[in-house]
Amino acid sequence: MQIEDSIIVGGGPCGLAAAIALQEIGKTPLIIEKGNVVNAIYHYPTHQTFFSTSEKLEIGDVSFITESYKPKRNQALVYYREVVKKKGLRINAFEKVLDVAKQPDGLFQVTTNKHTYFTRYVVIATGYYDNPNYMNVPGEDLPKVYHYFKEAHPYFNKDVCVIGGKNSSVDAALELVKAGARVTVLYRGKEYSPSIKPWILPEFEALVRTGTILMEFNAHVKKITDNQVIYTKDGEEKEVRNDFVFAMIGYHPDHQFLKTIGVKIDQESGRPFINPDTMETNINGIYIAGVLAAGNNANEIFIENGRFHGEQIARSITDIEVKGDNK
């Protein structure tokens, strides 16, 4: 029977920050991560540049120094690995949490694919990047359809359709063009999204104006076939030939996991029921850190503000223990 004083599910930046905050109140948290450290960032596109500046990605008072104003994916991977080493964080990598259940004695039983643990406090910091949104159209499950973009080289001299009109779509389209792909972007919006990074929109717009990228607004995908994407625009059915499709239409939290462990979810917003001051859910002793707290609105919480959730959680646990309320 392995007893831990606290367990954090998820080893992303917000999970690491929560672990550091718990260390500072005398806890020895165990992080359980189904991949490795900052697994979601590892799966970002190879040449991804962050929207945030490096100082806004810092955790644990460890400086993140880069030569450029906006850090890149590889620089972030190095930084967070260094944080783990400097802070001596305990991480069980490549271990997936399957269930969290409260026991009669007040402890939580945390079951993974490898072990069973018991703990007084659980912090869920699993993010949302592992759960892509789907269009639910015929052909979306074809092998040529992807919901993640890594790098462009394999698509040289190929016809590629990118679905979506926000940062991930624009980034993918630019990289694909640089690698020699012929790119069409289908976006259901009427105009460019205001969330697109301002330093890349001019380049993208220029490629659209010259016809290097075919951009279709008001485009609603209806079907994907082996060599086409069929969509409607202004009531007219159209089609575009392609060899590959990148459906970059966003991601969502793992609502099912939260519901399974008893956390209540607001049906409309997808937000878990939490105390905004403590980040504690409707289940005493289970907390949430990071973008998961924003529900379906992934544009509300980022690393730069989710990294402070750990401090709120640490204060809550301190208050509980000072009062002698073990719940």
Side-chain angles (χ1 to χ4, degrees), residues 186-199:
L186 305 180
Y187 181 40
R188 64 184 180 180
K190 297 179 180 179
E191 58 189 19
Y192 292 110
S193 168
S195 69
I196 297 175
K197 301 168 189 172
W199 62 90

Side-chain angles (χ1 to χ4, degrees), residues 129-196:
Y129 196 63
D130 292 320
N131 303 285
N133 295 330
Y134 291 96
M135 297 174 290
N136 298 313
V137 299
E140 190 172 14
D141 58 349
L142 287 171
K144 74 170 190 174
V145 181
Y146 302 95
H147 292 273
Y148 296 92
F149 176 79
K150 190 68 174 179
E151 54 188 335
H153 172 76
Y155 311 102
F156 163 69
N157 201 30
K158 295 296 181 182
D159 293 303
V160 181
C161 180
V162 178
I163 300 170
K166 297 185 179 179
N167 281 308
S168 59
S169 303
V170 171
D171 283 339
L174 290 174
E175 291 296 321
L176 287 162
V177 166
K178 290 174 187 175
R182 296 176 291 275
V183 179
T184 299
V185 178
L186 305 180
Y187 181 40
R188 64 184 180 180
K190 297 179 180 179
E191 58 189 19
Y192 292 110
S193 168
S195 69
I196 297 175

Side-chain angles (χ1 to χ4, degrees), residues 31 106 124 133 148 184 187 211 221 229 264 281 296 327:
I31 300 169
I124 310 294
N133 295 330
Y148 296 92
T184 299
Y187 181 40
V221 175
V229 171
K264 293 181 180 178
T281 68
N296 298 328
K327 300 189 177 183

Side-chain angles (χ1 to χ4, degrees), residues 65-84:
I65 300 171
T66 57
E67 72 280 5
S68 54
Y69 187 59
K70 309 270 187 181
K72 296 184 180 297
R73 164 189 171 272
N74 281 354
Q75 293 170 318
L77 293 177
V78 173
Y79 169 73
Y80 290 115
R81 291 199 302 265
E82 286 302 309
V83 170
V84 169

Side-chain angles (χ1 to χ4, degrees), residues 192-320:
Y192 292 110
S193 168
S195 69
I196 297 175
K197 301 168 189 172
W199 62 90
I200 66 170
L201 184 57
E203 180 184 0
F204 184 82
E205 286 183 302
L207 291 171
V208 171
R209 285 196 302 271
T210 61
T212 305
I213 292 176
L214 173 62
M215 180 76 193
E216 287 274 51
F217 292 102
N218 298 314
H220 298 266
V221 175
K222 297 300 179 184
K223 184 179 180 181
I224 302 172
T225 69
D226 288 333
N227 54 20
Q228 291 180 328
V229 171
I230 298 167
Y231 63 100
T232 59
K233 178 175 180 176
D234 302 327
E236 179 186 356
E237 185 170 285
K238 305 179 77 173
E239 60 190 40
V240 57
R241 189 199 177 285
N242 58 84
D243 302 298
F244 297 96
V245 175
F246 286 95
M248 314 296 288
I249 55 173
Y251 308 91
H252 63 269
D254 188 351
H255 292 134
Q256 190 54 47
F257 175 72
L258 291 177
K259 291 177 182 176
T260 297
I261 67 176
V263 175
K264 293 181 180 178
I265 305 291
D266 180 75
Q267 197 78 0
E268 185 175 340
S269 67
R271 293 175 185 271
F273 280 62
I274 57 172
N275 180 329
D277 296 322
T278 65
M279 304 308 293
E280 190 172 27
T281 68
N282 57 286
I283 302 176
N284 295 335
I286 293 185
Y287 297 83
I288 284 178
V291 69
L292 202 60
N296 298 328
N297 186 7
N299 291 320
E300 180 181 320
I301 297 176
F302 306 91
I303 297 172
E304 62 183 63
N305 51 7
R307 61 186 171 149
F308 299 116
H309 290 164
E311 296 172 11
Q312 295 174 253
I313 294 167
R315 285 195 296 269
S316 172
I317 291 174
T318 299
D319 289 344
I320 289 168

